[in-house]
Amino acid sequence: MNAGSLSLTPSKPRPAVSSPLTGKQLLRLYYLMIVSRIADERALIAHKQGRIGFYVPAVGEEAAEVGSVFALSPEDWIFPDYRGSGIALAREMPLKIFFDQVLGNIEDVLKGHSMPSHWGDSSLNIVAPSSPICTHLSHAVGVAWAAMMKREKMVTISYFGDGGTSSGEFHGAVNLAGVFKIPTIFFCRNNQYAISVPVDRQTAVTNLAEKASAYGITGVRVDGNDVLAVYLATKEARQRALRGDGPTFIEAVTYRLGPHTTIDDPMKYRGKTEEESAWKRDPILRFSEYLTTLGLWDMEKDQVLRNKIKEDVNLAITNAKEVPKPEIDSLFEDVYSTSPWHLDEQRMEARRFVASKRQIQ
Amino acid sequence: MNAGSLSLTPSKPRPAVSSPLTGKQLLRLYYLMIVSRIADERALIAHKQGRIGFYVPAVGEEAAEVGSVFALSPEDWIFPDYRGSGIALAREMPLKIFFDQVLGNIEDVLKGHSMPSHWGDSSLNIVAPSSPICTHLSHAVGVAWAAMMKREKMVTISYFGDGGTSSGEFHGAVNLAGVFKIPTIFFCRNNQYAISVPVDRQTAVTNLAEKASAYGITGVRVDGNDVLAVYLATKEARQRALRGDGPTFIEAVTYRLGPHTTIDDPMKYRGKTEEESAWKRDPILRFSEYLTTLGLWDMEKDQVLRNKIKEDVNLAITNAKEVPKPEIDSLFEDVYSTSPWHLDEQRMEARRFVASKRQIQ
Amino acid sequence: MELTLVQAVNDALREEMKRDQRVVVLGEDVGKYGGVFKATDGLQAVFGNERVIDTPLNEQAIVGASIGMSLKGLVPVAEIQFIDFIHPAFDQIVSELSKMRYRSGGQYAPHVVIRAPFGAGTKGGPYHSQSSESYFVHTAGLKVVIPSSPAECKGLLTSSIRDTDPVIFMESKRLYRSVREEVPEGEYLVPLGKARNARPGKDVTILTYGSMVQVSMKAAEVMCEEDVDVEVIDIRTLMPLDIETVVASAKKTGRIVIVHEAPKTMGFGAEISALLSEKAFDYLKAPIIRVTGYDTPVPFSLEDQYSPSPERVIAAIRNTMAY
Amino acid sequence: MELTLVQAVNDALREEMKRDQRVVVLGEDVGKYGGVFKATDGLQAVFGNERVIDTPLNEQAIVGASIGMSLKGLVPVAEIQFIDFIHPAFDQIVSELSKMRYRSGGQYAPHVVIRAPFGAGTKGGPYHSQSSESYFVHTAGLKVVIPSSPAECKGLLTSSIRDTDPVIFMESKRLYRSVREEVPEGEYLVPLGKARNARPGKDVTILTYGSMVQVSMKAAEVMCEEDVDVEVIDIRTLMPLDIETVVASAKKTGRIVIVHEAPKTMGFGAEISALLSEKAFDYLKAPIIRVTGYDTPVPFSLEDQYSPSPERVIAAIRNTMAY
Ligand SMILES: Cc1ncc(C[n+]2csc(CCOP(=O)(O)OP(=O)(O)O)c2C)c(N)n1
Ligand SMILES: Cc1ncc(C[n+]2csc(CCOP(=O)(O)OP(=O)(O)O)c2C)c(N)n1
Ligand SMILES: [Mg+2]
Ligand SMILES: [Mg+2]
């Protein structure tokens, strides 16, 4: 197990000894992080304005999400959890699809069935998540297992939080993957909190990557605010998987800078000072300083880029808001492959009531 | 974590450097192991004769079960699983109570409600187990937690198999105990198999005691065929718990010499040679050689003791068989603290049919 | 004092923790944070973090540890953050909590309350909106209690904590903050196993519980205008059911509408319907009608259409009256 | 060929694995050992250990991995050793298997069969005897199939494997080796969603499934002597239910007895009873009677008294005839 902390973009900026990526790729990474950040920020504002009902921001975790997705190939399947804005956007999910899902409108690829911030799209190999913690880990194992049987060169990756490592689902999936050397990556965003519960109340082991040793698999602890370190760790894990050397558990140490969701108030369980000091480790700030040091970036470019993305995001929100809600029939779709008699009956009943708007308050 | 193998009674017999127990205690330990062995053997025979419906033997695991129970105090609570003959008997469960449970007769303290080999008795602080794997681990955590809150000096211990370490229940309970430093002992009998599945198909880690490190708790691997080593490891774990240093995970490496249960045939999944070589590590043989070397035991004493116990066990089986089955009303007892109307109704119905024996085949 | 339902939960817990040292509260985020719905707000400050415990994220361990605590004399009240997240603990509930007393011949009897918010109405999508009472009512050994208002909630939760059988106590999220009512201060008990006649009537009986009592009451009011006198029975305790009250009302009116938010198929309405056709067959003037959630997951966007509305209840009443 | 029910399971799996490379079998002890009931006996020798997989002891991972495999084009048939041990996987079943198609707007649809032995009759005590179908019938998105004989079992299991919806396939342990019957060789399908009229009759309808079909048939034979002509409907597929066949029979006889081994309260009989009082109210000549397991865990010693016997069914038939 390699539990040493990997760091490529030191907090005190200096040119990296050797960057694993080209300048173009570095800028692309940065771009994706900024899109993720701005999508989250704008969504939070839209929520305050009452234009969005619910949202789960990943502010502060962009390096972890974008860096890891960037290390994958398009044929790799991604299993995000509910905190997946950076994941979806790094997979190049168009802003329209992204915000149609948040609004659950009639153009949402999930048909408005799922909760906001539960992004998925089969055309991008992003599997739509549920809300219960870590149930998707064994799905990622199963997909990779099937691919292995079919001799397909691909891996799967599942994302979850520090809190998730306590779940029975985590244990079952990781152990199984270990036994069969399944080509999958378990990617833990250790953002220090499970809602209000700090990670030291979650488990007595301080180094979550240690957990890998219980399953005889490789565990890696990586600075989750260092996008290049995350990228490299994920890339290595991917190669390890494809080589037949089994799954990797990656702990990306980061911090949730925002609220748990739009209905959370972090001030109830942590102080302003703690948050402020965490902001100093903002992965975007850090990466932009790194790019600046490399001579690839400057303040002006940054402003132009941010303004452009803000506009795109605002437009996507406004447009998504204007698309109507799904029709009543969609309530009964996709329960089964074909509708059984009792759902036909219930659909008929529902149609009758939808016309007559609710009158009694 | 101390994952080194502890061995006090080396396979090549020689006087132990220093025994942790007095001669009398050593003989008592041996006696308990023999009672457990003979109870199991006789029960298997009685099953073949059709006198017992079902049984789960612990043949081969006597050192692990007896040695660990011997290290406890009577006020410590024991949570066995279904393979608990050595546990119950080491807690001095009378043979009558033991076999009344196996027969599920009207004098069974569990009222014939539970399956055979699911021994429990509140007067002995043995909590009656269920059959699902490892659900009792969190109960043991809860009891010890309550005792800790009440400032009572006691520990709890839960028993389970190598297969059990794969369950979600194991993960949840051990992790929780780690966080709150609960005074409890997780005792894993690694008998190499979960029914037919060998331990290397169960998990990719070869040393189960390693699993403790995922929870930040102490893990100990001990030779489970060495009764004194087991005794010592358990004793230490108990002291660790009482000191406030949290739970211990003990892996006792042993071998299930018999079938999984009376309906298993081990020849379907392992060879005769494997079993024969395992018999050479029979913990009872080993301990008797040790006692002989110490001058505490000889063949003659052994024969006398075994004959006496055989008689006692046979008598207990015969007697238990003669005790009638529970009355129909007991089917409806203990579902709730008091019987609700619908169970009253159902009891009335059941009474009507019990009189008229079944006529239609 | 006037309280919302979630405040009534808090009040009941506070009173019982004060009165009985054995009562402890545990769950995810219940301590410092006071619970995601604030049901346990302020309890840790008063009773300390030994009695108000933030647990790791593992429902099976929460329920299992609660069982253990209770065997050693505590009375744990576990919070499951949403009933939708109780399923990881399903084995603990079905195999242990409900059957331990039985399998041990009465030697070990867990005295545990599991509280969980349930139901749609807060735009929670498929995993923050379910009504799972059927699973628990079907599991012999459990009691199942669902309050319909703040005062009811305080009284029923208090009784649930004192009851020595395991209780699944389900709180309608929809009601958490939407109603306020006078709630008796100090000790207040509403007995388990007794239904409440929320609105006497003679023409039609509505059998319902939780937030659907409100919906049914609204429908009943509207039906006055059509000169239909609707009786609304608040079931309160689904297990054990107050069969006497239910059957008596059915015999009186002969026309039955059952209203719940859970899916129709194998919802609690099925059991009531079956019981009434066993026990009041000759009195029934029309088919028993079930107005329920649909047999689908709860969708995010069309959630409003999912749950029974007064309009749907009214239509059912009209149907049974016209039969 | 004459087969027992457990052999019919084996035969169906063998045929489908031969026909369709996508079919894989996984579970505890299913490989080398061939399953604790021998349902998968010999399959690993034929199809290799990549397609017949011994898993670690973790039901949630078995179901979860099956879901994943199916998303990538395999058709996993998972064995849960006893239905009593399916509860650790309950979250996977309720939150994932049943809802994934829905929440993803049809993008990801798990094509998985879960097989599990169930029911009393083999002296298995509280944890090797349960009949848990209610939990699954209540969970929208699942199909639930329970065969009553070897040939039925082969045909229904084959259809379940080919059905693209998730299927919970429950096999009565009591029937595993107790009956032998001619089972068609090669491909043999019995459609899902269609009940079977196992014994046409005109006076009373018994609605039942699994091993209770046999019990009901015996009762029906005895009733001949009393000149009562009993129809026995084998439900086969609990979800989706063949409502037409059930309602038609109810309308014909007007007297209904429902027989199942699962506990009465919220057992499947409740749903059938409720449906019939909705759809055949005017035809019912007597209260619908449920003959079921009791609302208790299954006791070890009195197991024989727990399950419905022909005598109990006969008493119910006499009651409904006398009404
Ligand atoms: C099984 C289950 N229990 C509880 C919840 C409620 N819940 C949602 S998120 C969350 C905290 C998760 O924390 P963590 O795993 O660290 O991920 P993070 O939210 O910090 O990204 C909880 C308790 C849930 N979704 N599923
Ligand atoms: C949750 C659950 N799944 C499956 C079973 C069936 N089963 C009973 S014992 C057993 C193997 C257990 O092996 P291990 O934990 O090594 O204990 P051992 O029997 O070897 O003592 C299995 C699979 C069960 N009892 N509970
Ligand atoms: Mg977190
Ligand atoms: Mg074992």
Side-chain angles (χ1 to χ4, degrees):
Chain A
M1 196 200 70
N2 166 12
S5 185
L6 226 138
S7 184
L8 291 183
T9 59
S11 334
K12 293 236 163 297
R14 57 171 170 78
V17 185
S18 75
S19 165
L21 295 171
T22 65
K24 205 174 150 195
Q25 287 173 313
L26 292 175
L27 289 177
R28 184 72 196 160
L29 260 184
Y30 185 68
Y31 169 82
L32 293 169
M33 288 168 76
I34 293 287
V35 174
S36 174
R37 173 67 56 93
I38 290 176
D40 283 355
E41 285 173 351
R42 292 284 119 185
L44 290 177
I45 291 170
H47 174 261
K48 286 229 174 84
Q49 297 166 334
R51 298 166 68 213
I52 280 181
F54 177 80
Y55 192 86
V56 187
V59 176
E61 305 179 43
E62 293 88 354
E65 299 198 340
V66 172
S68 54
V69 170
F70 206 71
L72 304 173
S73 295
E75 68 273 16
D76 298 334
W77 285 36
I78 298 181
F79 290 78
D81 60 7
Y82 49 80
R83 198 180 304 288
S85 52
I87 297 166
L89 294 167
R91 250 296 148 116
E92 317 268 355
M93 179 178 279
L95 285 172
K96 170 169 172 53
I97 294 186
F98 187 90
F99 281 109
D100 282 347
Q101 197 283 325
V102 173
L103 273 298
N105 62 34
I106 200 166
E107 286 170 17
D108 169 17
V109 293
L110 310 180
K111 298 191 183 168
H113 286 177
S114 204
M115 211 186 184
S117 286
H118 286 59
W119 296 279
D121 188 339
S122 61
S123 72
L124 299 170
N125 287 333
I126 303 174
V127 182
S130 65
S131 310
I133 296 293
C134 283
T135 44
H136 55 308
L137 273 57
S138 54
H139 306 166
V141 171
V143 168
W145 200 342
M148 188 168 86
M149 291 186 203
K150 296 172 166 203
R151 316 287 180 255
E152 282 185 28
K153 281 245 162 265
M154 63 164 274
V155 308
T156 61
I157 187 168
S158 52
Y159 289 87
F160 52 96
D162 41 310
T165 63
S166 296
S167 67
E169 287 291 335
F170 168 82
H171 185 67
V174 180
N175 186 56
L176 182 67
V179 172
F180 292 94
K181 289 190 177 292
I182 305 296
T184 192
I185 303 168
F186 299 103
F187 194 97
C188 176
R189 290 173 281 94
N190 178 357
N191 64 7
Q192 311 303 325
Y193 287 92
I195 311 186
S196 74
V197 179
V199 65
D200 63 5
R201 260 287 160 121
Q202 198 59 246
T203 182
V205 72
T206 34
N207 184 332
L208 297 185
E210 271 272 356
K211 291 187 183 281
S213 59
Y215 310 106
I217 70 166
T218 306
V220 178
R221 184 175 169 94
V222 65
D223 181 343
N225 291 336
D226 179 341
V227 67
L228 295 182
V230 170
Y231 167 80
L232 268 196
T234 311
K235 190 123 202 141
E236 271 174 26
R238 184 172 189 277
Q239 281 155 358
R240 184 175 302 116
L242 290 177
R243 268 201 317 273
D245 290 341
T248 303
F249 174 82
I250 298 178
E251 177 195 3
V253 183
T254 178
Y255 192 90
R256 163 162 62 70
L257 290 170
H260 172 68
T261 68
T262 42
I263 46 176
D264 174 41
D265 173 12
M267 284 305 108
K268 290 257 162 69
Y269 51 85
R270 64 191 191 193
K272 257 257 153 312
T273 28
E274 178 183 318
E275 281 192 6
E276 275 161 15
S277 98
W279 272 105
K280 292 193 190 122
R281 297 187 301 276
D282 175 1
I284 290 187
L285 182 69
R286 177 161 160 190
F287 196 47
S288 85
E289 284 173 0
Y290 174 73
L291 294 177
T292 308
T293 320
L294 290 185
L296 289 169
W297 202 241
D298 58 40
M299 288 289 265
E300 200 180 322
K301 282 186 189 147
D302 209 66
Q303 218 38 66
V304 173
L305 176 69
R306 285 177 186 260
N307 287 341
K308 171 74 177 72
I309 294 174
K310 252 179 228 170
E311 261 173 44
D312 292 351
V313 167
N314 283 340
L315 191 66
I317 296 176
T318 306
N319 286 345
K321 200 77 204 123
E322 272 166 23
V323 177
K325 287 262 171 277
E327 305 278 350
I328 187 69
D329 279 17
S330 99
L331 198 160
F332 301 92
E333 276 167 25
D334 304 314
V335 184
Y336 296 94
S337 54
T338 54
S339 180
W341 66 268
H342 64 285
L343 286 182
D344 290 343
E345 274 189 14
Q346 293 175 21
R347 187 174 54 241
M348 292 305 165
E349 193 199 330
R351 277 188 193 160
R352 246 178 286 135
F353 288 98
V354 80
S356 67
K357 274 247 177 60
R358 283 202 185 193
Q359 282 137 6
I360 304 151
Q361 282 316 316
Chain B
M1 196 201 67
N2 166 12
S5 185
L6 226 138
S7 184
L8 291 184
T9 59
S11 334
K12 292 235 166 298
R14 57 168 170 80
V17 186
S18 74
S19 166
L21 295 171
T22 66
K24 206 175 147 195
Q25 287 174 313
L26 292 175
L27 290 177
R28 184 73 196 158
L29 259 184
Y30 185 67
Y31 168 83
L32 293 170
M33 288 167 76
I34 294 287
V35 174
S36 174
R37 173 67 56 92
I38 291 176
D40 282 356
E41 285 173 352
R42 292 286 118 182
L44 290 176
I45 292 169
H47 174 261
K48 285 227 173 83
Q49 296 165 337
R51 297 166 68 212
I52 279 181
F54 177 79
Y55 192 85
V56 187
V59 176
E61 305 179 42
E62 293 88 353
E65 299 197 341
V66 173
S68 54
V69 171
F70 206 70
L72 303 174
S73 295
E75 68 272 18
D76 298 336
W77 285 35
I78 299 182
F79 292 77
D81 61 6
Y82 49 81
R83 199 180 303 287
S85 50
I87 297 166
L89 293 167
R91 251 294 149 117
E92 317 270 354
M93 178 179 280
L95 286 172
K96 171 169 170 53
I97 294 186
F98 187 90
F99 281 109
D100 283 346
Q101 198 282 326
V102 173
L103 273 297
N105 62 34
I106 200 168
E107 286 170 15
D108 168 19
V109 293
L110 310 180
K111 298 191 184 169
H113 285 177
S114 203
M115 210 187 184
S117 287
H118 286 59
W119 296 280
D121 188 341
S122 62
S123 71
L124 299 170
N125 287 334
I126 303 174
V127 182
S130 65
S131 310
I133 296 294
C134 284
T135 44
H136 55 308
L137 273 58
S138 54
H139 306 167
V141 171
V143 168
W145 199 341
M148 188 168 86
M149 290 186 205
K150 295 171 168 206
R151 316 289 181 253
E152 283 184 29
K153 281 247 163 259
M154 63 164 276
V155 309
T156 62
I157 186 168
S158 52
Y159 289 87
F160 52 96
D162 41 309
T165 63
S166 295
S167 67
E169 288 291 335
F170 168 82
H171 185 67
V174 180
N175 186 56
L176 182 66
V179 172
F180 292 94
K181 289 190 178 292
I182 304 297
T184 192
I185 303 168
F186 299 103
F187 194 98
C188 176
R189 290 173 281 94
N190 178 359
N191 64 6
Q192 311 303 324
Y193 286 93
I195 309 186
S196 75
V197 179
V199 64
D200 63 4
R201 260 288 159 122
Q202 198 60 247
T203 182
V205 72
T206 34
N207 184 331
L208 298 184
E210 271 271 356
K211 291 187 183 281
S213 60
Y215 309 106
I217 69 166
T218 306
V220 178
R221 182 175 169 96
V222 65
D223 181 343
N225 291 336
D226 180 340
V227 68
L228 294 183
V230 170
Y231 167 81
L232 268 195
T234 311
K235 189 124 202 136
E236 270 174 27
R238 184 172 190 276
Q239 281 155 358
R240 185 175 302 117
L242 290 177
R243 268 202 316 273
D245 289 341
T248 303
F249 174 81
I250 298 179
E251 176 195 5
V253 182
T254 177
Y255 193 89
R256 163 162 61 70
L257 291 170
H260 172 69
T261 68
T262 42
I263 46 175
D264 174 42
D265 173 12
M267 285 304 107
K268 291 257 163 69
Y269 51 86
R270 65 192 189 191
K272 258 254 153 310
T273 28
E274 178 184 317
E275 281 192 6
E276 274 161 14
S277 97
W279 272 105
K280 292 191 190 123
R281 296 187 303 275
D282 176 1
I284 290 188
L285 182 68
R286 177 160 160 192
F287 196 45
S288 84
E289 284 174 359
Y290 174 73
L291 293 178
T292 307
T293 320
L294 289 186
L296 289 169
W297 202 241
D298 60 39
M299 289 289 265
E300 200 180 319
K301 281 186 191 147
D302 208 68
Q303 216 41 65
V304 174
L305 177 68
R306 284 177 187 260
N307 287 340
K308 171 73 177 73
I309 295 174
K310 252 181 226 168
E311 261 173 45
D312 292 351
V313 167
N314 283 342
L315 191 67
I317 295 177
T318 306
N319 286 345
K321 199 85 201 118
E322 273 165 21
V323 178
K325 288 261 171 276
E327 305 277 352
I328 186 69
D329 279 17
S330 98
L331 199 161
F332 300 91
E333 277 167 24
D334 305 315
V335 183
Y336 296 93
S337 53
T338 54
S339 180
W341 66 268
H342 63 287
L343 286 182
D344 290 342
E345 273 189 14
Q346 293 177 20
R347 188 174 54 241
M348 293 304 164
E349 193 198 330
R351 278 187 192 162
R352 245 178 285 135
F353 288 97
V354 81
S356 67
K357 273 245 176 62
R358 282 201 186 195
Q359 282 137 4
I360 304 151
Q361 283 313 319
Chain C
M1 59 199 163
E2 286 234 318
L3 299 180
T4 61
L5 195 138
V6 73
Q7 288 168 337
V9 170
N10 192 281
D11 189 45
L13 292 173
R14 207 174 282 261
E15 287 293 331
E16 286 306 287
M17 292 189 79
K18 231 181 331 187
R19 194 188 66 88
D20 185 349
Q21 281 291 323
R22 301 174 307 158
V23 179
V24 299
V25 161
L26 70 167
E28 294 154 12
D29 305 290
V30 299
K32 202 166 179 188
Y33 199 53
V36 294
F37 289 101
K38 304 284 155 234
T40 56
D41 202 25
L43 296 182
Q44 196 179 63
V46 177
F47 301 104
N49 63 7
E50 243 196 0
R51 289 182 69 198
V52 183
I53 306 162
D54 278 324
T55 65
L57 206 167
N58 186 298
E59 286 77 10
Q60 52 203 128
I62 293 171
V63 174
S66 297
I67 292 172
M69 288 174 166
S70 82
L71 299 186
K72 188 69 191 158
L74 301 183
V75 179
V77 183
E79 174 174 302
I80 299 295
Q81 208 157 76
F82 288 81
I83 199 89
D84 312 69
F85 304 138
I86 205 168
H87 305 125
F90 203 67
D91 196 25
Q92 279 293 342
I93 294 172
V94 168
S95 300
E96 300 296 338
L97 189 63
S98 70
K99 294 188 179 61
M100 186 178 265
R101 181 193 285 271
Y102 192 77
R103 75 156 181 268
S104 68
Q107 292 198 353
Y108 293 97
H111 178 173
V112 170
V113 178
I114 300 180
R115 294 177 41 246
F118 83 102
T122 53
K123 300 292 283 170
Y127 302 100
H128 298 81
S129 308
Q130 291 170 83
S131 300
S132 325
E133 57 270 26
S134 281
Y135 297 141
F136 307 112
V137 176
H138 184 54
T139 305
L142 302 177
K143 292 185 174 170
V144 181
V145 179
I146 304 184
S148 63
S149 82
E152 287 286 305
C153 180
K154 176 170 179 183
L156 289 166
L157 181 53
T158 306
S159 297
S160 297
I161 294 172
R162 298 198 191 172
D163 197 285
T164 54
D165 289 314
V167 177
I168 309 291
F169 192 87
M170 294 173 56
E171 301 158 7
S172 167
K173 289 192 291 293
R174 199 196 289 276
L175 295 178
Y176 262 164
R177 287 170 228 287
S178 63
V179 260
R180 238 170 221 291
E181 77 177 359
E182 194 55 34
V183 174
E185 265 172 81
E187 178 174 79
Y188 178 58
L189 290 149
V190 170
L192 303 192
K194 293 266 164 269
R196 178 176 69 99
N197 193 331
R199 186 185 192 285
K202 59 180 195 346
D203 297 326
V204 180
T205 298
I206 299 184
L207 298 166
T208 187
Y209 50 89
S211 71
M212 292 297 119
V213 171
Q214 238 186 25
V215 169
S216 301
M217 294 292 271
K218 281 178 192 159
E221 290 311 317
V222 173
M223 290 312 291
C224 284
E225 294 161 24
E226 299 178 22
D227 258 351
V228 178
D229 188 12
V230 178
E231 177 149 304
V232 178
I233 305 285
D234 177 2
I235 301 273
R236 282 178 169 164
T237 307
L238 283 70
M239 175 56 65
L241 178 66
D242 179 356
I243 190 72
E244 278 172 32
T245 302
V246 168
V247 169
S249 179
K251 286 187 176 169
K252 179 170 69 177
T253 65
R255 298 180 193 278
I256 313 292
V257 174
I258 303 165
V259 184
H260 60 63
E261 232 181 316
K264 182 175 189 181
T265 299
M266 301 291 311
F268 191 57
E271 180 61 31
I272 303 184
S273 175
L275 283 172
L276 288 180
S277 80
E278 277 160 31
K279 294 183 186 293
F281 185 74
D282 289 331
Y283 298 82
L284 296 178
K285 298 176 190 151
I288 296 168
I289 302 180
R290 293 180 282 170
V291 180
T292 69
Y294 298 117
D295 286 315
T296 71
V298 183
F300 172 71
S301 287
L302 293 168
E303 189 192 2
D304 282 352
Q305 305 298 330
Y306 180 87
S307 303
S309 59
E311 287 79 6
R312 279 176 65 198
V313 179
I314 289 166
I317 297 171
R318 287 190 188 131
N319 277 348
T320 185
M321 288 306 296
Y323 193 84
Chain D
M1 55 197 167
E2 286 232 318
L3 299 180
T4 61
L5 194 139
V6 74
Q7 288 168 337
V9 170
N10 192 281
D11 189 47
L13 292 173
R14 206 175 281 261
E15 286 293 332
E16 286 306 286
M17 292 189 79
K18 229 179 336 186
R19 195 188 65 88
D20 185 348
Q21 283 290 324
R22 301 173 308 157
V23 180
V24 298
V25 162
L26 70 165
E28 294 155 12
D29 305 288
V30 299
K32 203 168 177 187
Y33 198 54
V36 295
F37 289 101
K38 303 286 153 231
T40 57
D41 203 24
L43 297 182
Q44 197 180 63
V46 177
F47 301 104
N49 63 7
E50 242 196 1
R51 290 182 67 198
V52 182
I53 306 162
D54 279 322
T55 66
L57 206 166
N58 186 299
E59 286 77 12
Q60 54 203 128
I62 293 171
V63 174
S66 297
I67 291 172
M69 287 173 166
S70 82
L71 298 186
K72 188 69 192 161
L74 301 184
V75 180
V77 183
E79 175 176 300
I80 299 295
Q81 208 157 75
F82 288 81
I83 198 88
D84 311 69
F85 304 137
I86 204 167
H87 305 126
F90 204 67
D91 196 26
Q92 279 293 342
I93 294 171
V94 169
S95 301
E96 300 297 337
L97 189 64
S98 69
K99 294 188 179 62
M100 187 179 264
R101 182 192 285 271
Y102 192 78
R103 76 158 180 265
S104 69
Q107 292 198 355
Y108 293 98
H111 177 175
V112 170
V113 178
I114 300 181
R115 294 178 39 246
F118 83 102
T122 53
K123 300 291 282 168
Y127 302 100
H128 298 80
S129 308
Q130 290 169 85
S131 299
S132 326
E133 57 270 26
S134 282
Y135 297 141
F136 307 112
V137 175
H138 184 55
T139 305
L142 303 176
K143 292 185 174 170
V144 181
V145 179
I146 303 186
S148 62
S149 82
E152 286 285 305
C153 179
K154 176 170 178 180
L156 289 167
L157 181 52
T158 307
S159 297
S160 297
I161 294 171
R162 298 196 191 173
D163 198 284
T164 54
D165 288 314
V167 177
I168 310 290
F169 192 86
M170 294 172 57
E171 301 159 7
S172 167
K173 289 191 293 293
R174 199 196 290 276
L175 294 178
Y176 261 165
R177 286 170 229 288
S178 62
V179 259
R180 236 169 223 290
E181 77 175 1
E182 193 57 33
V183 174
E185 266 173 81
E187 178 174 78
Y188 178 59
L189 290 149
V190 170
L192 303 192
K194 293 265 164 269
R196 177 177 70 100
N197 192 332
R199 186 186 192 285
K202 60 179 192 349
D203 297 327
V204 180
T205 298
I206 299 185
L207 298 165
T208 187
Y209 51 90
S211 71
M212 292 298 117
V213 171
Q214 239 188 22
V215 168
S216 302
M217 293 294 271
K218 282 179 190 157
E221 289 311 317
V222 172
M223 291 311 290
C224 283
E225 294 160 24
E226 298 178 24
D227 260 351
V228 178
D229 188 11
V230 179
E231 177 149 303
V232 179
I233 304 286
D234 177 0
I235 302 273
R236 282 177 169 166
T237 307
L238 283 70
M239 175 57 66
L241 178 67
D242 179 356
I243 189 72
E244 278 174 30
T245 302
V246 168
V247 169
S249 179
K251 286 188 176 169
K252 181 170 67 176
T253 65
R255 298 182 193 278
I256 312 292
V257 175
I258 303 165
V259 185
H260 61 63
E261 231 181 318
K264 183 176 189 182
T265 299
M266 300 293 309
F268 190 57
E271 180 61 29
I272 303 183
S273 175
L275 283 172
L276 288 180
S277 80
E278 278 161 30
K279 293 181 186 293
F281 184 76
D282 289 331
Y283 297 84
L284 296 178
K285 298 175 191 150
I288 297 168
I289 302 181
R290 294 180 281 170
V291 180
T292 68
Y294 298 118
D295 285 315
T296 72
V298 183
F300 171 71
S301 288
L302 292 168
E303 189 193 0
D304 283 352
Q305 305 298 331
Y306 180 87
S307 303
S309 59
E311 288 79 5
R312 280 177 65 197
V313 178
I314 288 166
I317 297 171
R318 286 189 188 131
N319 277 348
T320 185
M321 289 306 296
Y323 194 86

